């Protein structure tokens, strides 16, 4: 492998010994070449200045009311503080105000001293006086709550107006039916109300029964759990005995397994003796595979080099063609006449001057349409405001009438109300007795455990 270089060294040494002149190869001097720079393109004539862009109108600034809290919140807080102060004053003056009723109580006691026992009558009168006083306080608080100003938006006004209009139509329809001879459904509604009250009482009783049944099932579950604990204790004792027997069997089985393992180890030691011969065969096989892979890799490298050379040759030819195309001169000056068409042969083709004129006409037509639409919106807004004002007047009238009707209904309800005590169902009493028995049994069972 090193023989060519060694031969060169021997020849040089022999030349020196024989005093031969050695010709020194002179290196070629690099000659500079001019760069193949591209010729600068001539500057085109600048196009005419475009039309000035339309200036957009200035946007309205954000109103400062957005960043401030609403007035209604401040009013509500003031009313709240006033109500708290009034409540403190009323609590402080409650004993003094109750003395107003003291004279009435004493006079009533003196009048009916002989008819009713004193203690019972005093309790009844005292309760009635206190209820009257607290009823007055409740009315004052309700008046303060009702007088809170509430700002309605347009949707709320229209919605409430539609509701009252629908109620008015229903009332007129009912009156027409009454005039034509239809019956008044008030008796049926009263009966329906009573039946619904009975159904509600039955539902409440059923709910109470379910609650008590759940409690009873809980007590039964606790008793069953205690019984399961006792059974588990018995099963645990049996499992301990079985475990001891299994441990004895496992010890015998381990001794047998140890004997089997010793025999297996002896067999493995015999097998290790033949491993060296197998390793030698594997080494020879691997060497053959490596030699084949080296030959294949050399062939692949040679093919890759040939493909790379072909690719570089094609690139060089393509670059030569591109440079030849770039060297050809091209005329890039083009004068534009705005009054001429493009000459593309399209329908509706026009020049730039005609296009600008048409755009100006379209802008004027658009401005006229916007002005007309603006006037229409103003008229619609005025009509809507008038409609909202009419709805507000109608809503205020309806509210006043509904308030008077609610006050009359409340008075009638107070007169018709009477204290009724709800009686317990027999099922509830039976369930309660069963629950007491189960709890006593559970406690006894827990003591035994």
């Amino acid at each position: 492998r090193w023989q060519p270089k060694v031969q060169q060294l021997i020849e040089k040494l022999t030349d020196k010994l024989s005093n031969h002149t050695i010709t020194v190869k002179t290196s070629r001097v690099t000659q500079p070449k001019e760069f193949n720079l591209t010729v600068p393109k001539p500057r085109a004539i600048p196009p005419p200045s475009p039309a000035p862009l339309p200036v957009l109108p200035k946007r309205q600034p954000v109103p400062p009311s957005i960043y401030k809290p609403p007035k209604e919140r401040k009013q509500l807080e003031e009313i709240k503080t006033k109500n708290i102060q009034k409540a403190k004053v009323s609590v402080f003056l409650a004993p003094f105000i109750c003395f107003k009723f003291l004279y009435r109580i004493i006079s009533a006691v003196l009048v009916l001293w002989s008819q009713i026992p004193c203690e019972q009558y005093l309790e009844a009168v005292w309760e009635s006086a206190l209820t009257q006083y607290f009823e007055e306080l409740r009315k004052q608080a309700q008046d303060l709550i009702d007088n809170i100003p509430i700002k309605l938006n347009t949707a709320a006004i229209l919605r409430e107006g539609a509701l009252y209009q629908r109620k008015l139509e229903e009332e007129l329809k009912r009156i027409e039916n009454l005039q034509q001879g239809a019956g008044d459904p008030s008796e049926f509604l009263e009966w329906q109300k009573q039946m619904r009250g009975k159904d509600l009482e039955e539902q409440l009783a059923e709910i109470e029964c379910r609650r008590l049944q759940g409690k009873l099932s809980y007590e039964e579950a606790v008793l069953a759990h205690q019984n399961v604990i006792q059974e588990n204790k018995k099963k645990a004792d049996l499992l301990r005995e079985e475990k001891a027997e299994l441990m004895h069997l496992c010890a015998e089985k381990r001794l047998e397994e140890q004997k089997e393992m010793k025999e297996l180890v002896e067999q493995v030691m015999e097998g290790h003796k033949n491993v060296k011969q197998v390793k030698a065969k594997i080494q020879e096989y691997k060497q053959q595979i490596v030699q084949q892979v080296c030959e294949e890799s050399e062939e692949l490298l040679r093919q890759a080099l040939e493909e790379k050379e072909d690719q570089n040759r094609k690139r060089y030819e393509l670059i030569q063609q591109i440079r030849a195309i770039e060297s050809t001169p091209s005329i890039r000056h083009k004068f534009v006449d705005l009054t001429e068409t493009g000459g593309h042969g399209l329908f509706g083709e026009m020049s730039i001057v005609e296009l600008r004129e048409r755009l100006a006409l379209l802008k004027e037509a658009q401005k006229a349409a916007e002005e007309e639409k603006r006037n229409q919106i103003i008229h619609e807004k005025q009509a809507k405001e008038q409609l909202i004002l009419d709805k507000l007047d109608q809503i205020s009238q309806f509210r006043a009438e509904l308030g008077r009707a609610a006050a009359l209904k409340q008075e009638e309800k107070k007169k018709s109300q009477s204290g009724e005590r709800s009686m317990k169902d027999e099922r509830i009493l039976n369930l309660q007795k069963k629950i007491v028995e189960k709890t006593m049994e559970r406690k006894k069972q827990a003591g035994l455990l």
Side-chain angles (χ1 to χ4, degrees):
R1 189 175 57 186
W2 294 96
Q3 189 175 1
K5 292 184 180 181
V6 172
Q7 190 66 33
Q8 288 177 5
L9 286 171
I10 291 166
E11 288 176 359
K12 283 181 182 180
L13 292 171
T14 54
D15 291 336
K16 280 186 179 182
L17 289 171
S18 61
N19 293 324
H20 287 297
T21 58
I22 301 167
T23 57
V24 179
K25 291 182 181 180
T26 58
S27 60
R28 290 193 302 171
V29 180
T30 56
Q31 295 178 358
K33 290 183 180 181
E34 293 182 358
F35 294 107
N36 189 9
L37 299 174
T38 57
V39 181
K41 298 176 183 178
R43 293 186 180 179
I45 298 169
S49 60
L53 294 173
V55 181
L56 295 174
K58 191 177 180 181
R59 293 173 181 265
Q60 293 182 356
V62 180
S65 60
I66 290 175
Y67 303 104
K68 294 180 182 179
K71 295 179 181 179
E72 287 78 8
R73 188 183 295 174
K74 189 175 180 182
Q75 291 176 0
L76 288 171
E77 289 178 357
E78 290 176 357
I79 291 166
K80 188 176 178 181
T81 52
K82 287 180 183 178
N83 289 337
I84 291 168
Q85 291 176 1
K86 285 183 181 180
K88 288 180 181 178
V89 172
S90 62
V91 170
F92 179 71
L93 297 176
F96 301 100
I97 294 168
C98 290
F99 281 111
K100 291 182 181 180
F101 306 102
L102 189 60
Y103 178 74
R104 299 178 190 175
I105 294 167
I106 294 169
S107 61
V109 169
L110 292 173
V111 170
L112 300 173
W113 185 273
S114 60
Q115 297 178 5
I116 302 171
C118 182
E119 293 178 356
Q120 184 180 357
Y121 185 73
L122 279 172
E123 288 177 359
V125 174
W126 183 257
E127 286 178 0
S128 64
L130 288 175
T131 51
Q132 187 177 0
Y133 168 66
F134 285 115
E135 188 66 26
E136 289 177 0
L137 287 177
R138 190 185 64 77
K139 285 180 181 179
Q140 291 177 3
Q142 190 66 32
D143 293 336
L144 287 172
I145 292 167
D146 293 337
N147 292 327
I148 293 171
I150 297 170
K151 187 177 179 182
L152 297 175
N153 54 4
T154 306
I157 292 166
L158 294 174
R159 193 161 52 243
E160 195 169 357
L163 176 65
Y164 288 141
Q165 187 68 29
R166 190 165 62 251
K167 286 184 179 180
L168 181 62
E169 290 174 358
E170 290 176 358
E171 189 67 23
L172 290 172
K173 190 175 181 181
R174 189 179 69 82
I175 291 167
E176 288 179 1
N177 292 331
L178 288 173
Q179 288 176 355
Q180 290 174 3
D184 190 7
S186 60
E187 294 180 358
F188 171 73
L189 293 172
E190 188 66 27
W191 173 80
Q192 189 179 18
K193 188 177 179 182
Q194 290 177 1
M195 295 303 292
R196 283 178 179 173
K198 289 180 181 178
D199 292 339
L200 182 63
E201 289 177 359
E202 290 177 359
Q203 287 177 3
L204 292 172
E206 188 68 26
I207 289 166
E208 185 67 20
C209 287
R210 287 178 185 173
R211 188 182 68 81
L212 294 173
Q213 285 175 359
K215 197 172 180 181
L216 181 62
S217 63
Y218 169 74
E219 296 291 337
E220 290 175 353
V222 171
L223 284 171
H225 182 65
Q226 290 175 354
N227 294 328
V228 168
I229 289 169
Q230 290 181 356
E231 291 177 359
N232 288 336
K233 285 182 179 179
K234 294 177 182 177
K235 289 178 181 179
D237 295 334
L238 293 173
L239 287 171
R240 288 192 193 97
E241 294 176 358
E242 291 176 357
K243 188 177 179 181
E245 293 177 358
L246 288 171
M247 290 294 287
H248 183 67
L249 293 172
C250 285
E252 293 178 354
K253 198 171 184 180
R254 282 179 185 174
L255 292 171
E256 292 177 358
E257 288 177 355
Q258 286 177 0
K259 291 178 182 178
E260 292 177 358
M261 288 296 291
K262 285 180 181 179
E263 294 176 356
L264 185 63
V265 168
E266 290 175 357
Q267 292 175 3
V268 171
M269 290 299 291
E270 291 177 358
H272 279 303
K273 294 177 182 179
N274 300 322
V275 171
K276 291 182 180 180
Q277 297 176 1
V278 175
K279 282 184 178 180
K281 291 180 182 179
I282 291 168
Q283 190 69 24
E284 291 177 359
Y285 179 68
K286 285 181 179 180
Q287 287 176 358
Q288 292 175 2
I289 290 170
V290 169
Q291 190 175 0
Q292 291 176 3
V293 169
C294 289
E295 292 175 356
E296 291 176 357
S297 63
E298 287 177 358
E299 184 66 24
L300 290 171
L301 283 170
R302 188 177 59 76
Q303 291 176 2
L305 286 171
E306 290 176 357
E307 291 176 358
K308 191 70 175 177
E309 288 176 357
D310 293 338
Q311 190 176 2
N312 289 333
R313 183 173 50 76
K314 289 178 182 178
R315 283 182 181 176
Y316 180 73
E317 292 175 358
L318 184 62
I319 289 165
Q320 292 294 329
Q321 292 174 6
I322 291 167
R323 285 181 180 175
I325 292 166
E326 287 179 352
S327 63
T328 57
S330 61
I331 298 168
R332 296 183 180 274
H333 298 287
K334 189 174 182 181
F335 299 99
V336 179
D337 189 4
L338 299 178
T339 58
E340 290 183 357
T341 58
H344 301 293
L346 301 173
F347 292 110
E349 193 173 2
M350 65 184 76
S351 63
I352 294 172
V353 176
E354 187 180 355
L355 180 64
R356 286 176 182 173
E357 289 178 358
R358 289 194 180 188
L359 285 173
L361 292 172
L362 282 173
K363 284 181 181 178
E364 290 177 0
Q366 190 177 2
K367 283 183 181 178
E370 286 178 357
E371 191 67 28
E372 186 179 356
K373 193 172 182 180
R374 191 179 291 110
N375 293 329
Q376 185 181 357
I377 288 167
I378 289 166
H379 290 308
E380 289 178 357
K381 192 174 181 181
Q382 290 175 355
K384 191 175 180 181
E385 287 177 355
Q386 188 63 36
L387 176 65
I388 289 167
L389 290 173
D390 296 340
K391 289 285 183 183
L392 281 172
D393 295 336
Q394 187 180 2
I395 287 165
S396 62
Q397 292 177 4
F398 273 108
R399 280 181 178 176
E401 293 295 331
L402 288 173
R404 285 194 287 271
L408 292 171
K409 191 175 180 181
Q410 191 70 20
E411 290 179 0
E412 291 177 359
K413 189 176 179 181
K414 284 182 182 178
K415 290 178 183 178
S416 64
Q417 274 183 352
S418 62
E420 297 179 357
R421 295 183 179 179
S422 60
M423 298 297 292
K424 289 187 177 179
D425 196 0
E426 292 181 359
R427 292 181 299 169
I428 296 172
L429 295 173
N430 293 329
L431 287 171
Q432 287 178 351
K433 289 179 182 178
K434 287 181 181 179
I435 289 166
V436 171
E437 292 175 358
K438 291 290 181 182
T439 50
M440 294 295 290
E441 187 177 354
R442 178 174 61 80
K443 289 178 180 178
K444 289 178 181 178
Q445 191 74 20
L448 292 172
L449 286 171

